[in-house]
Amino acid sequence: MAARVVGTLGAMLASLVLVVPDAGTSVVLGKQRLLTVLVSYGPRPFTRSDVTTAVNEAAAFISRSSFGRLTLQPTTTPWLEGGATEPSCGDSSDRMFAPLRAVAAAVGYQTRNYDRVIYVVAGPDCGFHGIEFGNEVLIVRQPDARLIVHELGHTFGLPHAGASNVCGTWCVTQEQGDLYSPMGTGFADFSAYEKEQLGWIPRQPRVTKPGKYLVYPVSPSAVTRQALVIEAPEGEYWLEQRPGLASPGLIVRLVNPDTASRAFIAPTTLLLAPIRTGHPVITPGQTFRVRGEFSVKVARAAKTPIRLSVSLSATLR
Ligand SMILES: [Zn+2]
């Protein structure tokens, strides 16, 4: 029995793909063969080349965000005729995907030979843009790179990335409101928390005592210090630099890892107003405080890495 388990693991490692959906943790590394199947039930409202452009842009985003630890190897079919039986959107995932798998197989694309499959379908009115089950995604509109990355993110096991203006006893959360993560409304970069979950960066430093800390901008040469994590009773505060090339600034997400296992409950909440309403970014010289718990003072010098002074209340030491 043990040998069999080792054999399976060995085979998974050999294909350079590892997916471990366990308590919300999913490590996704290596090369992922991505098949995109275009299926029409009459109309062809966009071209195959529109789709390959979006897929390539999505692949570049993921390669950059993962520091090359995850690379997509895309194959895109021509438009295929779906025939008489449209996929049943509201039905079980199997009833939905089975006719689409059959359409691909009929022209020689065996979907089981790919790590991820995206069906881009024109014709049916499903009442959603995209939906994902396991390693398969159904998209029923013209896909752009953000939608592809978002749906692939779900196949990696990532839930939505939320955001909140108000956090008191409870956070009032916009379930998909994160301004930066593709699992929210953004398309800047996956969050450090998401990257740690996916195995793209190592475990980030947790604050264990007050003192000075550094947070680096997103860079392959500083993957061990992309974020600083402060563990508090209500969750983990993840501080990282705002993605992009703008002047240095910090953003904060409150993370409740325990809620990470269910696909549509956001375990991360970007704080939209960590200091002042309408300002999600903490800038040099400002201090972010959680009353009774900790404060983080951002050094005045607008340089990278950002230098932080962390004070902890007695309860967090
Ligand atoms: Zn989603």
Side-chain angles (χ1 to χ4, degrees):
M1 196 61 196
R4 199 163 169 180
V5 171
V6 169
T8 308
L9 258 183
M12 289 170 78
L13 290 169
S15 74
L16 288 172
V17 175
L18 193 58
V19 181
V20 187
D22 178 35
T25 311
S26 48
V27 172
V28 187
L29 296 168
K31 296 191 171 75
Q32 294 267 315
R33 290 154 299 187
L34 170 66
L35 177 65
T36 305
V37 184
L38 306 184
V39 184
S40 167
Y41 294 87
R44 293 182 180 183
F46 44 89
T47 67
R48 174 178 182 274
S49 134
D50 292 333
V51 176
T52 55
T53 300
V55 168
N56 289 339
E57 199 186 321
F61 181 95
I62 284 174
S63 176
R64 185 174 64 244
S65 188
S66 70
F67 305 107
R69 287 175 172 81
L70 175 59
T71 51
L72 297 180
Q73 298 184 311
T75 302
T76 303
T77 72
W79 275 110
L80 309 175
E81 284 304 327
T85 319
E86 290 194 4
S88 173
C89 303
D91 218 323
S92 70
S93 60
D94 229 39
R95 297 262 310 255
M96 198 162 70
F97 286 117
L100 298 169
R101 290 185 202 120
V103 168
V107 290
Y109 295 97
Q110 299 299 335
T111 53
R112 63 176 175 275
N113 292 340
Y114 296 84
D115 302 297
R116 315 277 152 186
V117 182
I118 298 175
Y119 303 96
V120 178
V121 174
D125 182 7
C126 289
F128 52 77
H129 293 323
I131 196 164
E132 141 289 320
F133 287 99
N135 292 345
E136 292 176 302
V137 174
L138 175 63
I139 292 177
V140 291
R141 55 160 241 211
Q142 178 172 350
D144 57 19
R146 205 201 74 84
L147 181 60
I148 292 169
V149 170
H150 179 93
E151 296 299 335
L152 286 174
H154 282 318
T155 74
F156 301 158
L158 292 177
H160 285 148
S164 179
N165 274 305
V166 188
C167 265
T169 310
W170 303 95
C171 288
V172 180
T173 302
Q174 302 159 30
E175 186 225 317
Q176 210 178 321
D178 193 302
L179 302 173
Y180 305 100
S181 169
M183 302 317 291
T185 58
F187 195 43
D189 200 357
F190 284 102
S191 70
Y193 171 75
E194 289 162 341
K195 292 181 188 186
E196 189 186 282
Q197 293 286 298
L198 295 168
W200 296 354
I201 58 175
R203 187 177 157 84
Q204 296 299 297
R206 269 64 175 172
V207 170
T208 54
K209 54 181 194 295
K212 304 231 182 285
Y213 293 87
L214 297 176
V215 175
Y216 282 75
V218 172
S219 156
S221 60
V223 290
T224 57
R225 282 193 277 183
Q226 299 282 275
L228 187 66
V229 184
I230 300 175
E231 290 168 344
E234 66 276 23
E236 301 172 349
Y237 288 87
W238 283 65
L239 295 91
E240 66 182 277
Q241 294 218 23
R242 166 183 49 183
L245 298 172
S247 54
L250 273 190
I251 53 175
V252 188
R253 293 181 177 92
L254 180 58
V255 178
N256 290 101
D258 292 345
T259 61
S261 58
R262 275 163 291 167
F264 294 100
I265 298 174
T268 79
T269 303
L270 175 75
L271 303 191
L272 294 171
I275 297 175
R276 277 197 300 145
T277 307
H279 293 83
V281 179
I282 303 167
T283 53
Q286 291 188 318
T287 300
F288 170 60
R289 285 188 186 82
V290 175
R291 193 179 293 272
E293 294 181 355
F294 66 87
S295 71
V296 177
K297 182 169 176 24
V298 181
R300 198 165 289 281
K303 287 191 297 197
T304 58
I306 288 184
R307 286 160 205 283
L308 306 176
S309 298
V310 179
S311 311
L312 299 176
S313 70
T315 53
L316 286 192
R317 281 183 215 173

